[in-house]
Each structure stands twice: as C-alpha cells, then as structure tokens.
Amino acid sequence: MANIIDFNSYRRPELIFVMKDKNHTTLHVTTPTEQLVGELNANLAELQKTLTGNDEEASRAVYRLAAKLFNCNLDGVTVTSEELAKKYRLNMEDMAVFYTAYIEFIEGIKNAKN
C-alpha cells in the first residue's frame, strides 16, 4: 500500500497582514504555540478593556502580545512592540482589528479540526 503526500495540496493556515509602513510589508501570520494561545485567552478580557481605554502600561501590553503573535509568521520577519507602533504605525483601533481577526483565525482552525 502506497502513501502519497502531495506537497502541492498542503498549505499551512495563514492570515495575511499588509502593514502601514512605506514598503507595505506583508506578513503571513500562522498558528502560534499552545503557550501563546493560552496567553491570548488568559488576557482576552483585559485586552478588550484596554483597547477602549487610556491606560499606558496596559496599551504597551497589548502591543507586546501582538508582537509575539505577529512573530509567528512564515516570512522570517521579527517584529517588536515598538515597531508595531512606530514603524508600522498601528494604533489601538488597528490593534482591535488585529486581535479580532486573529481570534477568528484561531477559532476557524479549531473548528476545522473538530
């Protein structure tokens, strides 16, 4: 009995982001580690509150976690929280869009497995 693995039909799940820098950097973000998913889930309530508030330390935490998630990319690009705010010019509204899309992406993968 032969096993066939067709590399033409396999594609790792990814979520594509086109950043707001002058080069319009494209990041193909993929699934995070289980630890990062746990960190995301543990901070969801706090993230939602922070995205609509003005707490500076909490805002930095939003960018730090986002950087970790953006770093799960297929492009080999390392992103820092500072770069998200400065180089890529992502504001809190952008962060809300990112987290919403990312959570939907993760949920879609979970649902596809079941």
Side-chain angles (χ1 to χ4, degrees), residues 30-87:
T30 190
T31 52
T33 62
E34 285 185 39
Q35 180 182 351
L36 268 178
V37 171
E39 188 175 341
L40 177 62
N41 288 330
N43 291 296
L44 275 179
E46 188 65 29
L47 283 171
Q48 290 171 333
K49 189 168 55 173
T50 301
L51 291 169
T52 59
N54 282 338
D55 181 346
E56 195 170 317
E57 179 53 38
S59 294
R60 283 194 290 272
V62 166
Y63 283 98
R64 279 193 301 268
L65 180 55
K68 289 179 185 179
L69 297 170
F70 271 114
N71 283 328
C72 297
N73 68 71
L74 301 173
D75 309 288
V77 175
T78 301
V79 176
T80 66
S81 57
E82 293 81 15
E83 287 175 324
L84 290 176
K86 303 266 191 269
K87 177 180 178 180

Side-chain angles (χ1 to χ4, degrees), residues 7-49:
F7 287 112
N8 296 297
S9 63
Y10 172 76
R11 182 127 178 121
R12 192 169 178 186
E14 63 185 55
L15 184 57
I16 301 170
F17 292 95
V18 179
M19 307 305 271
K20 293 177 10 179
D21 61 324
K22 66 179 179 175
N23 296 326
H24 294 209
T25 301
T26 301
L27 295 175
H28 299 81
V29 177
T30 190
T31 52
T33 62
E34 285 185 39
Q35 180 182 351
L36 268 178
V37 171
E39 188 175 341
L40 177 62
N41 288 330
N43 291 296
L44 275 179
E46 188 65 29
L47 283 171
Q48 290 171 333
K49 189 168 55 173

